[in-house]
Amino acid sequence: MGNSLKAILAFVPSNKCQKYLLEDLEEMPVDKMVDLSGRQMRRLPVHICSFRELVKLYLSDNNLNHLPPELEQLQNLQILALDFNNFKALPLVVCTLKQLCILYLGNNKLCSLPLELRFLQNLKTLWIESNCLQYLPEVVCELSLLKTLHAGSNALRGLPRQLQGLQELRTIWLSGNLLSEFPPVLLDMPFLEVIDVDRNSIRFFPSLAHLPGLKLVIYDHNPCRNAPKVAKGVRRVGRWSEETPEPRKRSGAVIDITLDEKPLLPPAAKAEPD
């Protein structure tokens, strides 16, 4: 089906047209995954909510700004992709999906997150990049199993102290924000493995050598006067990163980062739960 025809039919709310957009998806796929990305949809066909065993639902790159209450029926859902839509607020029905492990909310128009997000206690990966957040909502600090937080390209000026309570957090991506100093709370999170503060306004970096779990720090494109000190074997990406005062391994081997690297793949190929 051509994109132009899809765009026209997306405005027509009739069941027949919506079914045409679904391309005759009448039964739940064997792999328990539905990918409706890039369909120009302005509303989610309620029929999808009848697939109660659904595990993965990709709704990226549409024109959605709300979701039907029937979505609550998808209590087995583990991955939900809502990125590249028109959400100004996260629909509260999303917070009823308690088995969610991965939630993609990037590239929307979110200025905050609801307190009800705390109900998603199985969440391990949260993408909130490229929104309108001026602060990191404190409710994120209540997601006790969170391992990866992507919060780049917002307008963050700092991070809440409560973040240090997320002892499962391993990677945090903060590139493209308005940080004028390295967030102090990160200095008290020894379990962090990847810290990305690329493209901010940080002028001075404190030592990170005391963080035993650190494997990679990205600090490029900051007006800094120094490179952050790190322990031996930690990879740095930024100005003066090659000027390492710590002794190098004789082999000169480069550390392999096998963590949640920023994927540049379509939603269907994004990371899945551990």
Side-chain angles (χ1 to χ4, degrees), residues 63-114:
N63 294 306
L64 300 172
N65 58 27
H66 68 282
L67 294 171
E70 289 85 355
L71 191 73
E72 186 177 4
Q73 300 174 31
L74 303 182
Q75 286 301 313
N76 291 297
L77 207 60
Q78 295 181 26
I79 301 177
L80 177 60
L82 299 174
D83 45 338
F84 293 93
N85 276 286
N86 293 319
F87 292 104
K88 294 182 179 180
L90 179 65
L92 293 182
V93 66
V94 172
C95 302
T96 68
L97 306 175
K98 297 183 180 180
Q99 297 304 314
L100 278 183
C101 296
I102 300 178
L103 179 58
Y104 297 106
L105 299 175
N107 290 273
N108 279 286
K109 301 173 183 178
L110 302 174
C111 294
S112 63
L113 294 173

Side-chain angles (χ1 to χ4, degrees), residues 198-229:
D198 183 28
R199 293 185 294 113
N200 277 278
S201 300
I202 301 173
R203 294 186 174 276
F204 176 80
F205 279 93
S207 173
L208 307 179
H210 66 289
L211 300 178
L214 195 61
K215 296 181 180 179
L216 170 65
V217 56
I218 304 172
Y219 65 96
D220 209 7
H221 304 100
N222 279 281
C224 54
R225 302 186 300 271
N226 69 309
K229 292 182 179 180

Side-chain angles (χ1 to χ4, degrees), residues 13-31:
S14 74
N15 291 333
K16 186 175 181 179
C17 289
Q18 294 299 311
K19 187 176 180 180
Y20 186 47
L21 285 172
L22 292 180
E23 297 179 357
D24 295 325
L25 182 62
E26 296 184 2
E27 297 182 0
M28 186 181 70
V30 176
D31 59 3

Side-chain angles (χ1 to χ4, degrees), residues 62-262:
N62 281 292
N63 294 306
L64 300 172
N65 58 27
H66 68 282
L67 294 171
E70 289 85 355
L71 191 73
E72 186 177 4
Q73 300 174 31
L74 303 182
Q75 286 301 313
N76 291 297
L77 207 60
Q78 295 181 26
I79 301 177
L80 177 60
L82 299 174
D83 45 338
F84 293 93
N85 276 286
N86 293 319
F87 292 104
K88 294 182 179 180
L90 179 65
L92 293 182
V93 66
V94 172
C95 302
T96 68
L97 306 175
K98 297 183 180 180
Q99 297 304 314
L100 278 183
C101 296
I102 300 178
L103 179 58
Y104 297 106
L105 299 175
N107 290 273
N108 279 286
K109 301 173 183 178
L110 302 174
C111 294
S112 63
L113 294 173
L115 293 177
E116 288 81 357
L117 190 73
R118 63 173 65 131
F119 298 141
L120 302 183
Q121 284 300 309
N122 285 306
L123 208 60
K124 294 182 179 179
T125 298
L126 177 62
W127 289 61
I128 50 176
E129 80 284 4
S130 298
N131 276 287
C132 305
L133 298 170
Q134 297 184 16
Y135 61 93
L136 184 69
E138 292 184 5
V139 66
V140 172
C141 304
E142 299 185 42
L143 303 174
S144 60
L145 295 184
L146 199 65
K147 294 179 64 176
T148 302
L149 176 61
H150 291 261
S153 299
N154 280 285
L156 304 181
R157 297 180 180 274
L159 298 176
R161 292 296 305 177
Q162 297 93 319
L163 194 70
Q164 65 182 334
L166 295 183
Q167 298 192 11
E168 296 298 319
L169 194 65
R170 296 295 179 266
T171 65
I172 184 166
W173 309 90
L174 300 167
S175 63
N177 277 288
L178 300 176
L179 301 174
S180 59
E181 65 172 350
F182 186 84
V185 65
L186 300 184
L187 300 175
D188 296 325
M189 301 177 71
F191 35 81
L192 283 175
E193 298 180 357
V194 175
I195 299 174
D196 177 12
V197 289
D198 183 28
R199 293 185 294 113
N200 277 278
S201 300
I202 301 173
R203 294 186 174 276
F204 176 80
F205 279 93
S207 173
L208 307 179
H210 66 289
L211 300 178
L214 195 61
K215 296 181 180 179
L216 170 65
V217 56
I218 304 172
Y219 65 96
D220 209 7
H221 304 100
N222 279 281
C224 54
R225 302 186 300 271
N226 69 309
K229 292 182 179 180
V230 294
K232 183 175 68 173
V234 178
R235 182 182 172 191
R236 298 183 299 185
V237 177
R239 295 179 66 190
W240 312 295
S241 60
E242 69 280 359
E243 300 175 9
T244 307
E246 299 80 11
R248 294 181 180 272
K249 294 182 180 179
R250 287 186 179 180
S251 65
V254 178
I255 299 174
D256 261 339
I257 300 299
T258 57
L259 306 165
D260 291 299
E261 302 265 1
K262 296 176 181 177

